[in-house]
Amino acid sequence: VERMIAIPDGVDPNRVTTCIVINPNGTVRHVPTQVVLNNGKYYAMVQSLTNSTYAVVEHPLEFDDVANHWAKDAVNDMGSRMVIEGIGNGLFDPGRDITRAEFAAIIVRALGLKLQSGTSFFSDVKESDWYSSAVRTAYAYHLVGGFEDGTFRPNDMITREQAMVILSKAMTITNLKARLPVQTADVTLHTFGDAAEVSAWAQSSVADSVQAGIVSGRSGTALDPKDYMTRAEVATII
C-alpha cells in the first residue's frame, strides 16, 4: 500500500534518509521510501504491507572502509536506510562473501517485512539463532526455500544464482516482475558467455534479475552464477 507523508515546510527533503515503522514494543524497522515532489510540496512516499505507525527519519551513515570503493554510494545509502549493518568500528567489509542467512535478513529488511516468530521450518535453524525470525519471515513470504533434506544451510555462502532466485520472488511482491515485458530466458541471457552454466531451476529467475537491471554480469559478459556474492554487490543490488 502506498502512503504519502508530507514533509513539513522548512525541512530539507535531502535530509530524509527513510521512513521507519515504530512497533508497539518500541523497536523500529525500515520501510521502502522515496522522496517525491508533488504540486510544489515534498512527500515521503512509503510502500508498506502493514497498517502501522510511521516516522520520517534522518539517519546518515558512512562506513570508513568504503570511502574509495566502487559501491560507496549504495553501501552508505543502504546503511542509512537501516537495511544493511556494518561489522563494528565504522566498518562494512565490502569484499566479504555473504551467507544465506545474512542475505535472507537483508531482503526482509529491504522489503520492510514485519518479522515473524515461532517454530522454524528448517531442521538447522534454531529459534535461538539471530537469523531465525528473518528466515521464517522470508519463508512465509515465499522468498526462500530450503534444500531437499529439510535444511536451509544458513551459514553457507550464497551463490549468485541462489540470490537471483530470491530477488525474482521479491520482484513479485513489489510488482516489478509484472511490469517486465515477456521475454524468454534464452533471449535475455544470450549475451553472456557462461549462460549455460546457470542451473535449470534458476534460469527464469536469473533472467528476471538481469532483465530488470537489478543484476548485471561481471566484466559485462560473465554471469558467474556459481560464484558467491560479496557484501558490496548485495548492497548495490538491494
Side-chain angles (χ1 to χ4, degrees), residues 1-3 46-51 54:
V1 176
E2 183 180 291
R3 293 173 173 82
V46 178
Q47 308 280 354
S48 179
L49 288 170
T50 58
N51 290 315
Y54 300 93

Side-chain angles (χ1 to χ4, degrees), residues 51-215:
N51 290 315
S52 307
T53 301
Y54 300 93
V56 182
V57 297
E58 178 187 15
H59 180 255
L61 198 62
E62 292 188 11
F63 296 102
D64 295 337
D65 57 348
V66 298
N68 298 306
H69 196 277
W70 62 265
K72 171 187 173 181
D73 291 343
V75 169
N76 288 335
D77 183 32
M78 291 300 106
S80 299
R81 289 176 184 266
M82 307 181 207
V83 172
I84 57 174
E85 298 174 345
I87 60 170
N89 299 316
L91 302 177
F92 180 71
D93 199 4
R96 180 166 65 80
D97 293 334
I98 205 159
T99 67
R100 288 170 52 80
E102 288 171 331
F103 191 82
I106 288 172
I107 201 77
V108 164
R109 285 198 295 266
L111 292 171
L113 303 180
K114 184 179 180 181
L115 290 177
Q116 301 185 8
S117 58
T119 307
S120 172
F121 295 102
F122 303 108
S123 60
D124 56 350
V125 177
K126 302 188 295 292
E127 281 190 56
S128 58
D129 293 328
W130 70 264
Y131 46 77
S132 63
S133 57
V135 171
R136 179 181 176 83
T137 304
Y139 183 83
Y141 280 91
H142 309 291
L143 290 165
V144 302
F147 293 88
E148 292 180 354
D149 59 1
T151 63
F152 181 70
R153 304 177 194 174
N155 297 315
D156 283 6
M157 300 302 167
I158 196 164
T159 65
R160 286 169 59 82
E161 65 181 5
Q162 286 173 350
M164 283 187 265
V165 169
I166 297 171
L167 290 168
S168 176
K169 292 174 179 177
M171 286 165 58
T172 300
I173 293 177
T174 62
N175 288 328
L176 177 57
K177 194 167 184 175
R179 296 200 295 268
L180 293 179
V182 177
Q183 189 169 289
T184 66
D186 289 344
V187 170
T188 303
L189 303 179
H190 79 278
T191 58
F192 297 100
D194 58 353
E197 296 176 17
V198 178
S199 300
W201 50 265
Q203 282 182 355
S204 63
S205 297
V206 170
D208 288 341
S209 300
V210 170
Q211 190 180 357
I214 294 174
V215 177

